[in-house]
Amino acid sequence: MHEASIMQSVFEIALGKLEGSGYERVDSISLRIGRATGVVSDALKFAFEALKPGTPFYGAALVIDEVPVGGVCLSCGEDFSTDERFVFQCPACAGSRLDITRGRELDLTGMEVS
Ligand SMILES: [Zn+2]
C-alpha cells in the first residue's frame, strides 16, 4: 500500500472538514485501519510526520485504531477473529466459506480542532 498517498487523502478530507468550520488548527486525527488493508501503521505515522509541517496539522497527533481481521464462517457459524492479515479457513471447522466482516476498514473516525 502507499501510505503517503493514503495520508495525503486523509489530509484532504480533514482540510475539507476544517474549511468553513471557524477553526484553524487540527489537534488530533483518529483513523480506523483494518489489518486486511495491508496498511502499515508505522508507515502511516511516518507519512503523517513528513506531511504535517506548514499545514493546520503541524501540532496534531495521529491516533490509529487497528482492527483485527474477523468474520463469520458460513459452514459452522463460528464468529472468529485472527491476528493474521488474511484468513482462508475457518479456525473452528477449516471450512473455506467465510464472510469477512472486519479488517477492511480505512476510515477517518475523528478529528479534534481548535
Ligand atoms: Zn467453521
Side-chain angles (χ1 to χ4, degrees):
M1 287 299 275
H2 305 287
E3 281 78 2
S5 60
I6 292 169
M7 208 63 237
Q8 191 75 52
S9 308
V10 168
F11 269 38
E12 280 165 20
I13 294 166
L15 276 176
K17 290 179 191 284
L18 191 66
E19 255 173 46
S21 70
Y23 295 99
E24 294 174 357
R25 282 180 350 125
V26 177
D27 294 327
S28 79
I29 285 196
S30 301
L31 302 179
R32 183 184 293 132
I33 309 284
R35 291 223 180 102
T37 60
V39 174
V40 179
S41 294
D42 284 348
L44 265 188
K45 286 175 186 164
F46 183 82
F48 182 70
E49 294 301 322
L51 287 168
K52 73 183 191 181
T55 73
F57 306 91
Y58 69 92
L62 179 64
V63 181
I64 295 177
D65 177 23
E66 278 193 29
V67 184
V69 177
V72 177
C73 173
L74 299 178
S75 298
C76 74
E78 175 84 0
D79 190 331
F80 59 88
S81 284
T82 173
D83 289 334
E84 305 295 324
R85 270 171 47 189
F86 303 101
V87 55
F88 301 105
Q89 282 193 330
C90 168
C93 75
S96 58
R97 292 169 58 235
L98 308 175
D99 184 15
I100 303 297
T101 56
R102 300 182 298 277
R104 292 182 177 138
E105 298 82 354
L106 191 53
D107 305 321
L108 175 62
T109 53
M111 181 167 133
E112 287 177 358
V113 293
S114 62

